[in-house]
Amino acid sequence: MSSERYTQKTYIGSGGMASVYRAYDTSLERFVAIKEIAEQFQDNEDVRQMFLREARRMAQVRHSNVVHVYDVHVENDIPTIVMELMEGGNLATRIAAGRMSVEELLPMLEQVVVGLKAIHDVGIVHRDVKPENILEHDGAYKIADFGLAMAGEEEILPFVTNRYAAPEVLLDPGSISSSSDLYSIGVMAAELLLGPDRFEAVVREAIEGDAELQIPGLKGSAQAFWQQWVASDATLPPLSDLDHAISPELSKLVTDLCHRD
């Protein structure tokens, strides 16, 4: 990445295989986000190709609720993605701060669903809809991170299940579809409305009595618990029964989105 064009580079955060930085584009005179492959993966050709595939997928979608890709630079065979900068953080930070009111959630949810429809309309399944991948800036919410996105009949990339993943992601990857992303939105909405602690308590009560999954090395861990939730037949109770501030209509919407079939 050219240090002459992109200056004032500061670290924002990192994921499993990449780090994201804030930088100033001196040519276009604007701040951007720069996503770089983590140093330990830079010699891995599979990771480099996955990185390029992510950029191409994101570039296919031109929508106000999807983070825009501006450019891809390749130096020494290592690709770097230059993207729209979202300064307001992500929904994971918002969840950590406490539950979200209905009045705050509905505009956010509408923007995310509309952005997701734009992704699905070009034949892409995001496959990793979660709070960390919903970015905010000045009241605008946008979907980011297409690292696990898939299209068509391509080979399905490995995926570590999280609490927002649809059951088929863990149990039947061949049946993953756009509905899988909608399920993730439902679980995310439920957690936002209830708050993380109460949401986990409700999930624990819902799966109580189910046989615990035997996942080597994960028994008793948080990851094992959430994999048990994803793989179980348990369902969330109506949110309107848990909190009267949540209308029956919104409660039904969340329940429908979280339907396991």
Side-chain angles (χ1 to χ4, degrees):
M1 175 60 67
S2 171
S3 59
E4 294 181 359
R5 176 171 179 177
Y6 297 99
T7 63
Q8 304 178 43
K9 185 176 172 183
T10 56
Y11 174 79
I12 295 177
S14 60
M17 293 184 292
S19 296
V20 180
Y21 300 85
R22 182 182 190 269
Y24 185 71
D25 182 344
T26 57
S27 294
L28 296 178
E29 299 183 342
R30 64 182 177 185
F31 283 97
V32 297
I34 295 175
K35 187 172 184 177
E36 298 180 352
I37 298 176
E39 185 175 353
Q40 65 267 32
F41 294 109
Q42 290 181 358
D43 293 330
N44 187 314
E45 178 62 20
D46 289 338
V47 173
R48 292 201 297 263
Q49 290 303 314
M50 187 171 70
F51 213 66
L52 285 171
R53 185 166 57 242
E54 175 184 1
R56 290 167 184 150
R57 294 269 161 79
M58 290 184 72
Q60 288 181 53
V61 188
R62 300 295 297 176
H63 192 275
S64 58
N65 296 116
V66 178
V67 171
H68 292 173
V69 167
Y70 295 143
D71 202 356
V72 174
H73 289 274
V74 180
E75 292 184 8
N76 301 318
D77 294 327
I78 300 173
T80 299
I81 306 174
V82 182
M83 303 177 293
E84 177 183 9
L85 178 66
M86 301 291 288
E87 298 267 33
N90 60 39
L91 277 182
T93 303
R94 178 62 185 80
I95 287 176
R99 58 185 296 183
M100 182 178 279
S101 70
V102 172
E103 292 75 19
E104 188 181 1
L105 178 125
L106 288 176
M108 178 279 296
L109 198 62
E110 181 178 9
Q111 292 183 57
V112 173
V113 170
V114 170
L116 194 58
K117 182 180 185 302
I119 295 170
H120 294 164
D121 282 348
V122 298
I124 295 173
V125 178
H126 188 280
R127 214 167 62 112
D128 198 19
V129 176
K130 60 184 180 182
E132 290 84 352
N133 292 337
I134 309 299
L135 308 185
E136 187 269 336
H137 180 67
D138 287 342
Y141 291 91
K142 305 194 180 194
I143 302 170
D145 199 334
F146 283 47
L148 292 172
M150 56 181 286
E153 300 298 322
E154 68 186 15
E155 180 181 356
I156 298 173
L157 295 170
F159 182 86
V160 177
T161 305
N162 59 51
R163 72 189 70 184
Y164 311 100
E168 60 268 22
V169 172
L170 179 65
L171 303 174
D172 187 16
S175 67
I176 292 172
S177 69
S178 58
S179 294
S180 307
D181 288 341
L182 294 176
Y183 174 93
S184 298
I185 286 182
V187 176
M188 189 175 69
E191 184 179 34
L192 284 163
L193 286 167
L194 296 176
D197 293 340
R198 192 173 188 199
F199 175 72
E200 181 173 336
V202 169
V203 168
R204 287 188 181 278
E205 185 174 347
I207 63 177
E208 188 176 19
D210 281 3
E212 184 174 351
L213 294 179
Q214 300 302 309
I215 305 173
L218 292 178
K219 184 176 175 61
S221 70
Q223 187 175 352
F225 168 72
W226 290 113
Q227 287 197 1
Q228 182 184 354
W229 155 250
V230 172
S232 75
D233 292 326
T235 58
L236 293 173
L239 299 189
S240 55
D241 290 350
L242 303 174
D243 186 341
H244 295 312
I246 302 172
S247 69
E249 292 80 9
L250 178 56
S251 178
K252 182 179 186 305
L253 171 62
V254 174
T255 299
D256 289 347
L257 286 169
C258 292
H259 201 288
R260 292 182 177 272
D261 183 354

